[in-house]
């Protein structure tokens, strides 16, 4: 059974477990949207880091190729 928490709108107490629950749907929806945004940002950050690694690898390969070509011309 849930009872209202005094002076706290949107909060209810479970009388069995004594847990306080947030029953404000707007707050819950905002939190879900925030969590989704965090997940998207982490995915984007991982993608950017992956691209940085790939560009670094390509630069290294180009440097090696240029060095090999300059040694052939000597």
């Amino acid at each position: 059974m849930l009872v209202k928490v005094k002076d706290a709108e949107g909060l209810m107490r479970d009388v069995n477990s004594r847990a306080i629950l947030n029953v404000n749907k707007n707050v819950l929806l905002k939190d879900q949207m925030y969590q989704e945004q965090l997940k998207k940002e982490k995915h984007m950050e991982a993608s950017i880091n992956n691209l940085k690694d790939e560009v670094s690898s390509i630069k290294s390969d180009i440097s090696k190729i240029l060095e090999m070509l300059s040694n052939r011309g000597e």
Side-chain angles (χ1 to χ4, degrees):
M1 183 169 112
L2 298 176
V3 293
K4 285 187 176 185
V5 174
K6 184 179 179 181
D7 298 328
E9 192 169 325
L11 297 180
M12 304 283 280
R13 181 180 296 279
D14 182 327
V15 293
N16 295 325
S17 69
R18 311 258 318 132
I20 294 181
L21 307 170
N22 184 348
V23 294
N24 185 330
K25 290 183 182 179
N26 289 333
V27 171
L28 294 173
L29 287 174
K30 277 185 182 180
D31 185 57
Q32 285 177 342
M33 289 171 50
Y34 176 74
Q35 294 299 327
E36 287 177 27
Q37 184 65 27
L38 279 179
K39 187 189 273 187
K40 287 178 186 177
E41 288 175 7
K42 285 182 179 183
H43 178 69
M44 258 208 283
E45 186 177 340
S47 294
I48 289 170
N49 287 335
N50 186 38
L51 286 172
K52 286 179 181 180
D53 290 343
E54 289 179 14
V55 168
S56 179
S57 177
I58 291 170
K59 285 172 63 175
S60 175
D61 292 344
I62 290 173
S63 292
K64 289 176 186 174
I65 291 169
L66 290 174
E67 186 179 325
M68 287 171 42
L69 290 173
S70 69
N71 288 339
R72 282 179 63 189
E74 291 179 0

